[in-house]
Amino acid sequence: MSRRATVIDVARRAEVSSATVSRVLNGNYPVARATRERVEEAVRELGYVVNAHARALAGTSSRTVGIIVQDVVDPFFAHIARGVERAASEAGRLCMVCCTHGDPRRELAFVDLLHEQRADAVVLVGGAHSDRAYAREVARRARDLHAGGSRLVLCGRPSVGRDVPTLSVEYDNEGGAFALTDHLLAQGHDRILYLGGPPDLSTTRDRIAGHRRALELRGVPYAPELVHTGAFSPAFGHRRLTELLASGPTFSAVFAANDMVAIGALQALEEAGRRVPDDVSLVGYDDVPTARVLRPRLTTVHVPLEEMGRQAVLLAVPGAAGTGAAEADAWQQPAEGGLTLGTHIVVRESVAARRADHGAL
């Protein structure tokens, strides 16, 4: 197997220094035309491929995109991160992924770190907690990034102020929850258990708002005892639904706040001897790949996760607009530095009409 050519090999072939080769490749310093042509010819002859990772770590400005997520294992964040990485790579940038584990202080520290690294863009992913002091800190960092020629992109989270220089990629979170609840109501389910989602997170607030709006328009009273917020995890879905099946309120359908919660809920129902959808209908949110392989396959709301990540890069990084779109028809361009992507229901086998002779659990 032949050895891959290096910058040193190119420099020797062109009879120049390795620093001169870097200047030609990066285009960030004037080089004599004859010298540039020799370097470019050596690159072609040796088949040299620029190492974007090494170039970014060497401190070259405007070659990095940073993405800050809560958890790289969670499919919601993982698919957005993949969209960011692919678009960044197509634009010739290195993608740096930072994981906060849900700690707002770590999130702010990562923004500072990426600013120090002179990242072209910093993408903050996922819902934001209700904290005005924290929002002020994010706004301050957005202004600092903007002053330095970079941009802060809010991906799936609310604005931190109309006068703050951020970009945004949102999705119709409330609309998706409204449509999903309305689908359950249309199937005769007027006792719907809402399960999961941290109560102070913007994502949860929007989904519950859409859920409540659908109930109101159908004339179904809102029942606080049917709303149980908590973690976006299978463990929470399993534990809380197990408790509710033993001694909780009656319901005929479960609206899991995301597909991960639905996985845990499905396990709890199976352990209790309840069949989906014959005894209980079950829906999720996000449409991660697992939703298509569960049995029964999960009815859920499709969020174009990877496209959200792609669009974050397209908005913020110069020269990235030439990359192709996977779901180009899914978004609408709103005013002033942002866009909103559409959501839609994916109807599968986990919902059935409530039978007239079948009461709620």
Side-chain angles (χ1 to χ4, degrees):
M1 183 176 180
S2 60
R3 182 176 66 87
R4 178 177 294 180
T6 66
V7 169
I8 294 175
D9 296 327
V10 173
R12 287 172 179 167
R13 177 68 65 91
E15 298 181 343
V16 297
S17 68
S18 57
T20 298
V21 173
S22 295
R23 290 168 184 165
V24 171
L25 296 175
N26 292 326
N28 62 349
Y29 195 86
V31 177
R33 180 176 178 179
T35 302
R36 178 179 298 278
E37 290 175 351
R38 289 209 314 275
V39 171
E40 291 174 346
E41 183 179 0
V43 167
R44 288 192 297 270
E45 291 175 351
L46 295 173
Y48 174 72
V49 177
V50 177
N51 187 330
H53 181 74
R55 183 170 62 186
L57 294 181
T60 305
S61 178
S62 302
R63 307 307 303 176
T64 303
V65 172
I67 176 172
I68 302 174
V69 300
Q70 179 176 328
D71 187 349
V72 293
V73 176
D74 188 311
F76 179 90
F77 297 106
H79 284 274
I80 293 176
R82 184 165 68 178
V84 169
E85 190 281 326
R86 287 182 172 178
S89 178
E90 290 169 0
R93 267 69 174 178
L94 169 69
C95 181
M96 298 181 67
V97 181
C98 306
C99 188
T100 68
H101 304 292
D103 185 346
R105 294 170 300 177
R106 285 173 60 88
E107 184 172 272
L108 295 173
F110 280 134
V111 175
D112 292 338
L113 174 63
L114 291 166
H115 188 192
E116 291 172 4
Q117 295 294 321
R118 293 181 290 178
D120 286 358
V122 177
V123 183
L124 282 179
V125 179
H129 292 274
S130 302
D131 186 331
R132 291 184 179 179
Y134 167 76
R136 286 194 297 269
E137 290 297 318
V138 173
R140 180 172 66 81
R141 286 162 171 80
R143 293 187 179 98
D144 291 343
L145 285 165
H146 188 259
S150 181
R151 299 305 298 269
L152 181 68
V153 186
L154 305 178
C155 191
R157 65 168 55 194
S159 169
V160 290
R162 296 184 62 181
D163 61 338
V164 180
T166 60
L167 301 169
S168 68
V169 179
E170 303 178 45
Y171 61 100
D172 191 4
N173 191 17
E174 182 179 337
F178 171 89
L180 192 59
T181 300
D182 193 66
H183 176 66
L184 290 172
L185 292 168
Q187 299 299 312
H189 299 283
D190 56 5
R191 294 284 294 176
I192 302 170
L193 176 68
Y194 188 96
L195 187 65
D200 63 339
L201 199 67
S202 59
T203 305
T204 304
R205 295 196 303 271
D206 288 347
R207 292 183 185 180
I208 291 178
H211 173 66
R212 292 189 65 170
R213 184 161 60 92
L215 294 174
E216 180 181 352
L217 289 179
R218 289 273 187 172
V220 176
Y222 173 71
E225 72 275 11
L226 289 175
V227 176
H228 292 260
T229 55
F232 276 129
S233 69
F236 172 80
H238 175 263
R239 176 176 55 81
R240 181 56 57 86
L241 188 53
T242 297
E243 296 168 352
L244 292 171
L245 287 169
S247 58
T250 60
F251 56 89
S252 64
V254 177
F255 184 149
N258 72 354
D259 296 340
M260 296 295 98
V261 174
I263 291 172
L266 180 61
Q267 181 183 358
L269 290 166
E270 289 176 346
E271 291 172 355
R274 308 295 185 179
R275 298 168 299 168
V276 176
D278 295 342
D279 299 321
V280 184
S281 288
L282 174 66
V283 298
Y285 206 114
D286 293 340
D287 194 26
V288 300
T290 304
R292 298 189 288 272
V293 299
L294 288 177
R295 291 297 180 268
R297 296 188 306 160
L298 187 65
T299 292
T300 185
V301 174
H302 176 76
V303 179
L305 299 173
E306 190 168 336
E307 183 66 6
M308 288 174 63
R310 249 185 37 81
Q311 292 295 339
V313 176
L314 298 190
L315 279 177
V317 177
T323 56
E327 299 185 56
D329 60 346
W331 58 268
Q332 302 171 351
Q333 184 79 35
E336 303 192 6
L339 54 85
T340 300
L341 288 78
T343 56
H344 62 268
I345 297 177
V346 181
V347 177
R348 299 193 177 103
E349 293 85 31
S350 65
V351 174
R354 181 182 174 188
R355 299 194 305 268
D357 61 342
H358 186 211
L361 292 179

